[in-house]
Amino acid sequence: MSTVVAGPVTPARLPSAPPVRRVVRFRPDRRLVSGALGFAGLLLVWTLLAVARPALIPTPVAVLGAFVDNGDLIAANTLSTTRVAALGWLAGNAIAVALGVFVLVVPRLEASVLRLAAVVSFLPALAIGPVLYVLLDGDTPKIVISALGVVLTTVVGTVVGLRAVSPTVLDVVRATGGGLGAELRFARIRAGLPSLLASLRIAGPAAVLGAIIGEYLGGSEGLGPAMMTAQQQLNVPLTWALALAATAVAGITYAVPALVNRWTSPWAATVSTGSVTFGPATPAVTGWRRLLGMVGGLVAAVTVTLAVWWAAVELLQPSPMVAKTPADVARFLFAGDRAADHRAVVFDALGQTLSFAAVGYLAGTVAALLLVAVLVRFPALEYVAMPPAIVLQSVPLGVFTPIFMIVFGRGLFTAAAICGAVTFFPTLVMTLAAVRAVPSSVTDVFRASGASATRTFLCAQIPAALPALLAAARIAVPAAVVGALLVEWLATGTGLGYLMLRSTTTFAYDQLWAAVVVCTLTMIAAYTIVTALESWVLARMGD
């Protein structure tokens, strides 16, 4: 019989394990790598085009050499344009933010204020520029043109942002005795910062474009005159170097608000780019009441604009040879023995401009939809395609035009390319976001029924993205008209753009003002038609 002796159990001594060494592996950011690949692809395409057409397109090395050889010239003109654009950006955004706060205080006037801002933004800079140079001194005309291009975007961003605050937060502020000032300080400004900064990203390149157009119209220094001089001297590498300098300035103005947004509002990395309606939230109104309300608001905005125009001429008392009243324009177009001839000249030029704008808008929209189809099918390509697209969006129209003239001449292709460039980016961004927001349950039904990816895209995703496509059209259609005006002024020698230039050089100010009024009313009408169509689609599909 065995005896069991109780006692402490000593665990067996195990050999000590070697210390674990943590291996830190460097994993590059996929977005950074894809973006670098996108820029590398852009440089490769540029090099191949330069090899194919060396007389028209310089190589990247030649452009770099132009930077080295003309560094002082490029730096001086870049600083001049940057200063004008910065002053215009500050002035335009200050006015826009003030209008946004005013709309918050007096919400009944929101629709009127925003429509008036739209009218002001649609004024053709190519037409009002010569008048501003007659009435104002120094760089003030360039600053005013730069400021006009940013007002509408920032007003909309401010209004949307100030109303993005949670009602619960406002209730807390009011419960503690806070008024409107406390709401702005502690709630609305913080909640609206992402939307405001998103609008400032768009306003930056617009301010640079306005500064360059102002320099084209009357400046003696800056990137605009420098590019025109380099083009006339057939110095292609210098033209491209100056264009890249303008692109860099516009890109910085686009990127800085994005970085500020990431730093100040990390909780809101992205801001919705959905449809923004002009007016406070109201119950849905359909049918004739909706149409009558929209037409009435448009008529009110145009009436206020005409009243302000008339009052400004009467109060400032400028030279009657230069400044014309609405009555003068009406007499030019509809009274007198030559009124029919005047109308024929103006409206024939308008038809040419609209044809360029329509072709460019369709080309840009089709290109954007094709890229959306590719990115939906191959999502990984987005990080490769978007950085070059953002760079192209940051290039001002005034930079595109001389380069396209060098490469493609002065015909329809250049006009379509310029107008399509301004249409492409907003359509791409807003449609891509809307397509990806389609519920997976919808696309799963198509796939389960054996539909191909192309059929799913055309029959499910594109119809769902139609409201976003129309919202982008509200931005793209007027921009396409502006692009057509610039191309006509700089390249084709036809249309309203060239008519405005010829009227200025021949002191035919009656014709100039008539062209301005007709062009502005056309852009407002196009904007209203697109807005009405968007409203109808939303009513049919459900907001």
Side-chain angles (χ1 to χ4, degrees):
M1 184 173 182
S2 60
T3 304
V4 178
V5 180
V9 178
T10 303
R13 188 176 184 88
L14 299 176
S16 59
V20 178
R21 295 181 179 180
R22 181 175 298 177
V23 179
V24 180
R25 296 181 178 179
F26 175 72
R27 295 182 178 180
D29 189 351
R30 184 178 63 178
R31 292 175 297 181
L32 183 61
V33 173
S34 299
L37 291 176
F39 284 115
L42 192 63
L43 288 176
L44 178 60
V45 172
W46 178 4
T47 303
L48 293 177
L49 290 175
V51 172
R53 305 193 67 177
L56 299 177
I57 304 177
T59 64
V61 175
V63 175
L64 181 61
F67 270 108
V68 174
D69 297 337
N70 304 275
D72 294 338
L73 172 68
I74 296 174
N77 287 288
T78 301
L79 288 176
S80 177
T81 300
T82 302
R83 181 177 61 82
V84 172
L87 293 175
W89 185 88
L90 289 173
N93 286 317
I95 294 172
V97 171
L99 288 176
V101 175
F102 174 77
V103 164
L104 182 68
V105 177
V106 190
R108 290 182 177 273
L109 296 179
E110 176 181 346
S112 299
V113 169
L114 290 177
R115 288 193 183 98
L116 184 60
V119 172
V120 171
S121 297
F122 292 158
L123 290 174
L126 299 178
I128 65 173
V131 178
L132 292 175
Y133 270 101
V134 173
L135 300 177
L136 304 174
D137 298 326
D139 289 336
T140 307
K142 293 183 284 187
I143 296 173
V144 172
I145 294 173
S146 178
L148 289 178
V150 308
V151 172
L152 177 61
T153 300
T154 306
V155 166
V156 173
T158 302
V159 172
V160 172
L162 292 178
R163 287 188 172 158
V165 63
S166 170
T168 305
V169 176
L170 293 179
D171 291 339
V172 171
V173 174
R174 292 163 184 162
T176 57
L180 180 61
E183 289 182 11
L184 288 172
R185 179 181 177 185
F186 297 108
R188 293 190 183 274
I189 291 179
R190 298 184 181 185
L193 198 57
S195 179
L196 175 61
L197 290 171
S199 64
L200 294 182
R201 282 190 292 172
I202 303 173
V208 176
L209 170 62
I212 293 177
I213 291 178
E215 292 167 350
Y216 278 143
L217 294 173
S220 58
E221 58 182 9
L223 291 173
M227 280 190 289
M228 291 295 293
T229 302
Q231 180 187 353
Q232 292 170 358
Q233 295 174 350
L234 301 180
N235 192 339
V236 179
L238 180 58
T239 303
W240 281 67
L242 291 165
L244 289 179
T247 303
V249 174
I252 291 172
T253 62
Y254 184 92
V256 169
L259 295 177
V260 173
N261 182 38
R262 181 169 296 183
W263 175 57
T264 59
S265 308
W267 42 269
T270 59
V271 178
S272 175
T273 56
S275 175
V276 179
T277 57
F278 280 0
T282 56
V285 179
T286 58
W288 287 103
R289 293 182 61 189
R290 180 192 295 268
L291 179 61
L292 290 176
M294 189 169 298
V295 173
L298 175 63
V299 171
V302 173
T303 303
V304 170
T305 303
L306 293 176
V308 172
W309 171 13
W310 206 320
V313 173
E314 293 297 330
L315 292 175
L316 297 177
Q317 293 293 323
S319 170
M321 184 186 73
V322 177
K324 304 297 179 181
T325 65
D328 295 330
V329 174
R331 282 193 296 269
F332 179 81
L333 290 176
F334 303 105
D337 297 334
R338 300 190 59 190
D341 295 335
H342 297 160
R343 289 195 303 272
V345 171
V346 172
F347 285 102
D348 286 347
L350 175 64
Q352 182 71 46
T353 299
L354 292 182
S355 65
F356 283 162
V359 172
Y361 173 75
L362 291 176
T365 301
V366 170
L369 292 178
L370 290 176
L371 185 55
V372 167
V374 173
L375 296 182
V376 169
R377 187 73 176 87
F378 306 100
L381 293 179
E382 179 177 358
Y383 295 120
V384 178
M386 289 305 291
I390 293 174
V391 170
L392 294 177
Q393 167 66 14
S394 300
V395 181
L397 290 179
V399 175
F400 267 126
T401 306
I403 294 177
F404 274 94
M405 286 170 56
I406 292 173
V407 178
F408 302 112
R410 299 174 179 267
L412 177 63
F413 190 87
T414 296
I418 296 297
C419 299
V422 299
T423 302
F424 172 79
F425 190 75
T427 305
L428 170 66
V429 172
M430 301 180 76
T431 307
L432 181 62
V435 166
R436 288 183 171 171
V438 176
S440 58
S441 57
V442 176
T443 56
D444 289 343
V445 170
F446 275 79
R447 295 190 182 101
S449 62
S452 63
T454 302
R455 186 175 182 81
T456 302
F457 177 76
L458 295 176
C459 298
Q461 294 171 313
I462 284 296
L466 188 58
L469 187 63
L470 292 172
R474 288 201 293 164
I475 302 172
V477 169
V481 176
V482 173
L485 292 175
L486 186 62
V487 172
E488 291 166 347
W489 179 56
L490 292 175
T492 64
T494 59
L496 275 180
Y498 181 72
L499 180 65
M500 293 174 185
L501 176 64
R502 189 179 63 189
S503 301
T504 304
T505 56
T506 58
F507 305 104
Y509 290 106
D510 285 323
Q511 184 171 264
L512 172 64
W513 283 84
V516 172
V517 171
V518 169
C519 181
T520 303
L521 292 179
T522 300
M523 285 196 287
I524 295 173
Y527 183 89
T528 304
I529 292 172
V530 174
T531 304
L533 184 59
E534 178 191 7
S535 180
W536 178 77
V537 169
L538 289 175
R540 293 293 301 268
M541 299 180 64
D543 291 337

